[in-house]
Structure formats: C-alpha cells, structure tokens
Amino acid sequence: MSAITDLDTLLGSMSPIASDGLYVFCCIPNASYGAHAALAPIASFQEKEGLTLILRQQSADSAGLAYDGAFAMITLNVHSSLAAVGLTAAVATELTKSGISANVLAACFHDHVFVPAARADQALAVLRSLAQRHAGNSVA
C-alpha cells in the first residue's frame, strides 16, 4: 500500500499504539552523529547545541545521561506520507485540548508521538477517539 496523503483517511484509519518502555531526550554537547551509537538510540538529531538522542530511559540512566522527563511513544500506525498535510497539526491540536504535550517524529512509514509518560493512557484514548470520529470520512 502506498503512503496516504488525505487527512481524513489518515485520521480515520490510524490505530494508535503505545510502545513498551519509556523514552527520553538527551542532548550531548560537542558530540557528533554516530557518537553513543552503542546506546541504540531510536533517533538522533544534530543541533548546534549538541547531539540529541532519543533512547530508552534505562539506556540513558546506565550511561549517566541527563534528561528532562520520561515519555511514552505512541505510533499512529498508519502509513502516512511525508507529503501529507495536517496530520501533525490535527494530532497536536487534539492532545492540546486535553493539556497533553506532544513531540512528533515522522519517519518513512509512520508518525510517532512522544507524550509525558504519566499521560500515556489518556493520550491513547484521545487519539483513538479522534480516529473514530474520522472513520468513514476518508476518500477512497
């Protein structure tokens, strides 16, 4: 199946699921891409302030890395196109209504939303409700 661009189709067919474990965002000043690969980050991003790693909390703890808060990762579980317009905004807006912060990471096949760990169940309920409201409104 090819990647979906239609917003109603994306929202109506997404099936949000939470990954096991907790994730953290760590910034390592003066580090470059590839540094700390042994920690198996699920993502990294080079910024002028340092290398940001997204990794399991226990890996960061074992390495003595600092972070602010632990997050649950919710995968929207729909094959979203990188050219799709509005998915991130719709998801973030819906979570905002419930006072839940959202850090979204788009990959080639899916979008992943990092929410505060303590709010993961509520975030899943909000996103599943959003999907139900859009089910049946999709363009074939």
Side-chain angles (χ1 to χ4, degrees), residues 56-107:
R56 290 198 175 265
Q57 183 179 23
Q58 61 266 39
S59 295
D61 290 343
S62 295
L65 297 175
Y67 54 85
D68 291 323
F71 298 86
M73 180 176 70
I74 298 173
T75 299
L76 298 182
N77 213 24
V78 61
H79 188 181
S80 55
S81 169
L82 290 170
V85 175
L87 180 60
T88 300
V91 166
T93 297
E94 203 65 22
L95 291 170
T96 296
K97 291 176 186 176
S98 295
I100 302 172
S101 67
N103 296 284
V104 181
L105 176 81

Side-chain angles (χ1 to χ4, degrees), residues 106 111 116 132:
D111 291 81
Q132 288 175 348

